[in-house]
Amino acid sequence: MGKKLFMAQKRGETRAVGLGIGMIICAVMMFFLLGVTVLPKYIKSVWTEETTCTLVQATFKERANCIHNSNTKPESILKYPCLEVLVNLNFSEDVFMLYHTEESSEWNNKCTYIPDCKENYTEVEMHVQEIQGRFNKSSSFACYFDPKGRQKSIILVRKFGPQKMISYFFWPTSMFTVGLFVVIIVKISQCFAMVSVQANRAGN
């Protein structure tokens, strides 16, 4: 009976260690993926200073192609209305182009907001008009700029800011911590078991 209990305990410890190591490996892989995808964009993001933007104008330009959508077929390129929002900062009278996030200017540097590509253009147009209406209702709003002046444009939302990075790395960090904790607890338990066995042998 004692031998069966010992073997069952041994199998349980092996599974627990395997689970812990598996969690650690998954967490490391997630860290790697985030390190090559999200982290470089966070490092490149220079819009670090928050200020107040005042709306100058929010107007529609010509229709733009959804070139950022890789699923779009060349023979049927979808379009969206190009919304251009110009603002000035609370400490400057200069007019700047406002972009939704850090990536917006990379997709199309003429448009402030780039919606999801849909075949129904009217639906997309109504959505962008709603965005325009929000800007017109709020003449002043929070925004971000580059304090060193490397980027003259302004962004509305930091997609790769510190808070976003914390949320991105929360789950892999938690998984790594739990996995490491499981392995350490099992190893400590095994050490105490070995000490107990040795003490019993010495007593006999």
Side-chain angles (χ1 to χ4, degrees):
M1 184 67 181
K3 186 176 181 181
K4 289 183 179 180
L5 182 61
F6 175 79
M7 293 301 295
Q9 182 181 0
K10 198 72 175 177
R11 286 194 297 269
E13 291 176 348
T14 303
R15 291 172 182 172
V17 171
L19 175 63
I21 293 175
M23 294 177 68
I24 292 173
I25 292 174
C26 289
V28 170
M29 292 176 63
M30 293 174 68
F31 279 129
F32 176 77
L33 290 175
L34 291 173
V36 298
T37 56
V38 177
L39 190 59
K41 294 182 178 180
Y42 168 74
I43 295 173
K44 287 170 58 179
S45 179
V46 295
W47 296 270
T48 56
E49 198 75 23
E50 184 176 0
T51 186
T52 301
C53 281
T54 302
L55 179 68
V56 176
Q57 66 177 21
T59 56
F60 285 109
K61 301 178 69 176
E62 70 281 355
R63 296 184 181 185
N65 295 333
C66 293
I67 55 176
H68 69 284
N69 188 349
S70 58
N71 295 325
T72 302
K73 297 180 181 180
E75 61 271 16
S76 59
I77 295 178
L78 304 179
K79 294 182 179 294
Y80 62 91
C82 181
L83 176 64
E84 181 187 68
V85 178
L86 301 179
V87 298
N88 54 37
L89 307 182
N90 60 350
F91 56 82
S92 173
E93 294 298 325
D94 296 332
V95 177
F96 301 94
M97 180 74 177
L98 177 71
Y99 294 106
H100 184 217
T101 67
E102 297 95 327
E103 293 182 329
S104 299
S105 61
E106 298 177 2
W107 291 339
N108 191 335
N109 59 9
K110 296 181 180 179
C111 305
T112 294
Y113 178 75
I114 301 175
D116 294 333
C117 293
K118 297 180 180 179
E119 293 184 4
N120 189 340
Y121 178 81
T122 303
E123 182 180 347
V124 177
E125 186 178 31
M126 290 177 60
H127 173 66
V128 180
Q129 285 177 346
E130 182 181 348
I131 300 297
Q132 182 195 29
R134 292 178 187 174
F135 280 115
N136 290 329
K137 287 180 181 178
S138 302
S139 57
S140 297
F141 45 86
C143 58
Y144 297 89
F145 72 100
D146 178 11
K148 296 183 179 179
R150 291 164 292 183
Q151 289 285 344
K152 299 300 182 183
S153 57
I154 312 299
I155 65 170
L156 183 63
V157 178
R158 289 195 70 186
K159 189 176 180 179
F160 303 103
Q163 292 182 345
K164 290 290 185 179
M165 295 301 295
I166 292 174
S167 65
Y168 288 142
F169 283 91
F170 174 78
W171 287 113
T173 302
S174 301
M175 186 180 297
F176 182 87
T177 304
V178 172
L180 185 63
F181 179 76
V182 169
V183 173
I184 291 175
I185 290 298
V186 172
K187 292 300 181 182
I188 291 175
S189 175
Q190 290 176 342
C191 288
F192 277 124
M194 290 178 62
V195 170
S196 177
V197 170
Q198 291 176 358
N200 289 335
R201 288 178 179 175
N204 293 333

